Amino acid sequence: MRVFTSFDEFAAQKGEHLGYSDWHVVDQDRINLFAEATGDHQWIHVDPERAKDGPFGATIAHGYLTLSMIPALGKDVFRLEGPKMLVNYGSEKVRFPTPVTVGSRVRVGAELVDVRDVAQGKQVLVRYTVEIDGQSKPACVAETLVLVVL
């Protein structure tokens, strides 16, 4: 994990890859819990027997489950010390090129894309790429915005 002790040190990494998280297994329990939380019980996510004969050969994680893992995985990549507050401000772009089948290991890589001045402080754009162990295409690519209050 990279630790930045000042915002200027962090901002100097604009255009740079910041690193990777550890690998994490996406198991059926996590998928089922997400289905319960969102009400999305589509069989491709929650019915292992039916999914065996489906298009992916197994259940798959919801795309939004994969996206929702980014904050937790991202904490393994870098930390910015000093700001009063960091606030999720939204996303610029999100894509799900490859489904995450149950039992897959995923990790996230982060790239600092942009730093913008805003009235409340700084707005930071980070591109996160969720990789699947053994797959050439990522599970998710998301450009996320964070408001940094200094």
Side-chain angles (χ1 to χ4, degrees), residues 12-136:
Q13 300 303 304
K14 182 178 170 182
E16 299 294 323
H17 195 271
L18 302 174
Y20 295 96
S21 71
D22 293 332
W23 291 101
H24 294 268
V25 175
V26 178
D27 60 19
Q28 191 63 51
D29 286 340
R30 182 183 294 245
I31 294 169
N32 291 344
L33 286 169
F34 191 83
E36 285 300 315
T38 62
D40 182 352
H41 297 278
Q42 188 176 173
W43 64 269
I44 61 172
H45 305 303
V46 298
D47 188 339
E49 287 305 312
R50 185 173 177 193
K52 284 180 187 175
D53 297 323
F56 308 108
T59 56
I60 59 169
H62 306 70
Y64 284 114
L65 167 56
T66 305
L67 178 66
S68 75
M69 292 174 65
I70 288 175
L73 295 174
K75 288 179 183 177
D76 289 348
V77 179
F78 69 92
R79 184 175 76 233
L80 174 58
E81 295 180 344
K84 293 177 186 174
M85 180 173 48
L86 301 172
V87 179
N88 177 359
Y89 198 78
S91 297
E92 295 279 307
K93 185 176 176 182
V94 177
R95 298 290 184 264
F96 303 107
T98 304
V100 177
T101 55
V102 67
S104 294
R105 294 184 339 140
V106 298
R107 71 176 181 180
V108 73
E111 175 189 348
L112 180 56
V113 176
D114 199 10
V115 177
R116 306 168 189 156
D117 291 322
V118 294
Q120 304 92 337
K122 304 288 184 180
Q123 194 176 74
V124 175
L125 181 66
V126 179
R127 180 180 301 119
Y128 288 102
T129 303
V130 180
E131 299 178 348
I132 307 167
D133 193 14
Q135 296 288 327
S136 60

Side-chain angles (χ1 to χ4, degrees), residues 127-150:
R127 180 180 301 119
Y128 288 102
T129 303
V130 180
E131 299 178 348
I132 307 167
D133 193 14
Q135 296 288 327
S136 60
K137 287 186 180 179
C140 179
V141 180
E143 294 182 355
T144 66
L145 292 166
V146 174
L147 174 63
V148 180
V149 180
L150 300 171

